[in-house]
Amino acid sequence: MILEGAGNIIINLYKRAGLITCSFLFMFQVFNAQIEKTEAKIWNTKELDAGRKSFGLSELEADVILEINKARTNPSKYAELYIKPRLSNYNGKVYNDKTVTKEGTVAVNDCISAMNSQVKLLPLKPDNNLIKLAKEYTKMQGKTNQTGHETDGKGFKERMKTIIDDNKVVGENISYGRNTARDIVIAQLIDDGRPKRGHRKNILRANYTHIGVASGEHKEYSTMCTINFFGDNT
């Protein structure tokens, strides 16, 4: 009888756990649906995501372009929905109990302030040549434990000269060790530990018109993502 009673208790606990799990999943699905409805009211994702199926991009690569275009076309709302909520996850300079940052919430608040004062910009269009360059660099650097924009003495501007006219302005962002598009883009917008906020400036540069993205493996950081930009030099 004792064993039978204990067994019933365990079964009931499993049932309750199952109900809790189902309830959590249901709440999570409802929450996601609400976010999607909110996003649909703010962004025309079909327009911002028009190149997803036309340029041979992976899902991650296409998502990076979408996230960047959302940040460009409504920067204040992007900061409100996706960046400001992160403030509650900091304990000093530690984010989510595991990531040690250099500036803590200082960089996050700086990003929010900058995006609140940033004018809305046009979305970037995918470009085959930029995608090709990004793929080549990701494949080349990913085999090594190197980071940065220079390999064999050549920086990204020199690499881009092969496809970009002299009257174009170019830029490059590279992310290491991040696995989702939103994490990649938000980290570059916050730009922790970089006083000049060069990654953020690239994403929000008004005269950029085109973008190329390539993700791949990296010997030291597991993953990397190269993002190339160009536009008119005006």
Side-chain angles (χ1 to χ4, degrees), residues 147-218:
T147 60
H149 303 277
E150 188 172 304
T151 300
D152 297 329
K154 293 182 179 181
F156 72 90
K157 288 184 178 180
E158 191 169 354
R159 285 186 271 115
M160 288 192 186
K161 277 184 178 180
T162 59
I163 62 163
I164 305 298
D165 297 335
D166 290 337
N167 63 339
K168 299 290 184 181
V169 62
V170 298
E172 183 175 74
N173 287 0
I174 305 177
S175 170
Y176 300 94
R178 300 186 184 278
N179 298 312
T180 72
R182 187 161 294 163
D183 279 347
I184 289 169
V185 174
I186 288 178
Q188 295 191 344
L189 286 168
I190 294 173
D191 230 3
D192 176 71
R194 297 178 181 273
K196 294 183 178 180
R197 313 298 191 204
H199 295 103
R200 183 196 305 163
K201 288 178 180 177
N202 273 340
I203 290 173
L204 300 175
R205 188 160 183 166
N207 55 339
Y208 283 152
T209 56
H210 291 79
I211 187 171
V213 177
S215 60
E217 296 179 354
H218 188 274

Side-chain angles (χ1 to χ4, degrees), residues 29-218:
Q29 289 170 350
V30 171
F31 179 70
N32 275 347
Q34 290 175 339
I35 290 177
E36 288 176 1
K37 286 182 180 179
T38 301
E39 289 177 338
K41 292 178 181 178
I42 301 167
W43 291 285
N44 181 349
T45 53
K46 287 185 178 180
E47 178 185 352
L48 305 185
D49 201 25
R52 179 175 292 268
K53 296 181 180 179
S54 306
F55 291 85
L57 298 166
S58 69
E59 184 175 356
L60 175 65
E61 292 159 355
D63 284 346
V64 168
I65 295 176
L66 176 60
E67 289 296 315
I68 287 175
N69 280 337
K70 287 166 67 175
R72 284 174 63 88
T73 55
N74 200 328
S76 62
K77 186 58 69 172
Y78 193 91
E80 177 188 338
L81 290 177
Y82 307 130
I83 299 176
K84 188 176 180 179
R86 292 194 166 212
L87 289 169
S88 62
N89 294 325
Y90 280 84
N91 181 10
K93 293 185 178 181
V94 180
Y95 177 71
N96 265 353
D97 296 326
K98 59 182 179 180
T99 303
V100 180
T101 67
K102 294 182 179 180
E103 298 178 70
T105 58
V106 172
V108 183
N109 282 316
D110 178 70
C111 177
I112 294 168
S113 177
M115 294 187 74
N116 282 337
S117 61
Q118 172 69 46
V119 298
K120 294 180 179 180
L121 303 171
L122 293 173
L124 301 174
K125 299 176 182 178
D127 177 84
N128 278 319
N129 285 328
L130 288 179
I131 292 170
K132 180 183 177 183
L133 278 181
K135 286 184 181 295
E136 289 174 352
Y137 193 69
T138 298
K139 184 177 180 180
M140 177 179 63
Q141 191 181 74
K143 296 176 181 178
T144 74
N145 58 1
Q146 297 177 4
T147 60
H149 303 277
E150 188 172 304
T151 300
D152 297 329
K154 293 182 179 181
F156 72 90
K157 288 184 178 180
E158 191 169 354
R159 285 186 271 115
M160 288 192 186
K161 277 184 178 180
T162 59
I163 62 163
I164 305 298
D165 297 335
D166 290 337
N167 63 339
K168 299 290 184 181
V169 62
V170 298
E172 183 175 74
N173 287 0
I174 305 177
S175 170
Y176 300 94
R178 300 186 184 278
N179 298 312
T180 72
R182 187 161 294 163
D183 279 347
I184 289 169
V185 174
I186 288 178
Q188 295 191 344
L189 286 168
I190 294 173
D191 230 3
D192 176 71
R194 297 178 181 273
K196 294 183 178 180
R197 313 298 191 204
H199 295 103
R200 183 196 305 163
K201 288 178 180 177
N202 273 340
I203 290 173
L204 300 175
R205 188 160 183 166
N207 55 339
Y208 283 152
T209 56
H210 291 79
I211 187 171
V213 177
S215 60
E217 296 179 354
H218 188 274

Side-chain angles (χ1 to χ4, degrees), residues 1-15:
M1 293 293 293
I2 294 174
L3 288 175
E4 183 180 351
N8 287 333
I9 290 172
I10 293 171
I11 289 170
N12 287 331
L13 285 173
Y14 272 110
K15 286 181 178 179

